[in-house]
Amino acid sequence: MNIGDIARLTGLPAKTIRYYEDIGLVTPQRSANGYRHFRETDQHKLLFLGRARALGFTIEDCRTLLALYEDQSRESANVKRVATEHLNKIDEKINQLQSMRETLAHLVASCAGDHRPDCPILNDLGQEP
Amino acid sequence: MNIGDIARLTGLPAKTIRYYEDIGLVTPQRSANGYRHFRETDQHKLLFLGRARALGFTIEDCRTLLALYEDQSRESANVKRVATEHLNKIDEKINQLQSMRETLAHLVASCAGDHRPDCPILNDLGQEP
DNA sequence: CCTTGACCTTCCAGTAACTGGAATGCCTAT
DNA sequence: ATAGGCATTCCAGTTACTGGAAGGTCAAGG
């Protein structure tokens, strides 16, 4: 399978797949014409990566998870640790965003949004009463 | 005031302030020795920027907001539009993160996290039953 | 007068994870 | 032969900084 086929199959852009090869996440073979040749194991890895990325894992986490995935003698504790840390980071981000959201929602609600210049949003940012 | 003073005052790292000058958000004067010299209006702007950034506005949004802030004949509708769009983006992000969070939390909960290799997290990522 | 330390300056490179585009090569069909 | 639709590499750009190197300035102390 060429890169276009695998891209369709995995849902990943060809560019991204090339990038993943660049950083050593997959190592497709090469055909005589220099085209990348993807096999089932590559497809498997790419699907794995796509799902892990969709859960927000960083590339480095993905690298770690992929290694664990391929290691038959792994300890699930290691996987769980990576996932738990990631979960905590997600929670942090959600909290941050929610606090922004709250402030912002108040400001937006209090702004008339008309042709006049008075604006509680700018007043708040400029910290003037 | 030199950059160190203004950094302390605004809570922004000196590096960041230099960067803001680079991209034209502030334009402090220069003393004879080449040091940046910050006046009250600069301080004001930097505080404004710090607060806007803390609410998650992009630099370009900040540029727009700053321009509106300084424009006495602005229409608050324009401010509100920027803020509302940003609010929507925040909501999107929160939703994304929460959906990740949910999936991930289930996976983490179902993983024993012990010395054995069996791992529902990896099974899910590898999409094997 | 010289040195020390705390400032300040500029410039270059790196971060994360791609994405876009240019220049070029290959393959298949008409 | 040529047109299209693939593929290749390489370079640059994105966001908002951050770190570090190499060097200039200033005030205080010996």
Side-chain angles (χ1 to χ4, degrees), chain A residues 75-91:
Chain A
E75 303 189 7
S76 68
N78 290 330
V79 181
K80 188 167 184 172
R81 189 175 28 73
V82 171
T84 304
E85 277 167 19
H86 179 44
L87 185 53
N88 290 338
K89 275 186 196 147
I90 287 182
D91 282 343

Side-chain angles (χ1 to χ4, degrees), chain A residues 46-112:
Chain A
L46 288 168
L47 285 169
F48 183 100
L49 288 169
R51 291 192 207 102
R53 289 289 299 130
L55 287 180
F57 284 105
T58 66
I59 289 285
E60 284 318 304
D61 280 349
C62 288
R63 199 188 293 282
T64 305
L65 291 172
L66 206 47
L68 287 166
Y69 184 56
E70 311 213 297
D71 176 7
Q72 295 305 330
S73 69
R74 68 186 160 252
E75 303 189 7
S76 68
N78 290 330
V79 181
K80 188 167 184 172
R81 189 175 28 73
V82 171
T84 304
E85 277 167 19
H86 179 44
L87 185 53
N88 290 338
K89 275 186 196 147
I90 287 182
D91 282 343
E92 254 179 63
K93 268 192 211 158
I94 290 177
N95 288 337
Q96 248 190 48
L97 286 173
Q98 267 169 349
S99 121
M100 285 180 188
R101 198 223 115 84
E102 208 171 322
T103 307
L104 204 52
H106 282 125
L107 290 175
V108 164
S110 67
C111 175

Side-chain angles (χ1 to χ4, degrees), chain A residues 25-45:
Chain A
L25 287 180
V26 280
T27 41
Q29 311 216 245
R30 293 292 178 134
S31 309
N33 57 12
Y35 286 14
R36 286 168 185 82
H37 176 73
F38 296 85
R39 293 174 305 167
E40 283 224 5
T41 68
D42 298 314
Q43 181 186 334
H44 222 90
K45 277 195 196 184

Side-chain angles (χ1 to χ4, degrees), chain B residues 24-38:
Chain B
L25 287 180
V26 281
T27 41
Q29 313 218 244
R30 294 290 178 135
S31 308
N33 57 12
Y35 287 15
R36 287 169 184 81
H37 177 72
F38 295 86

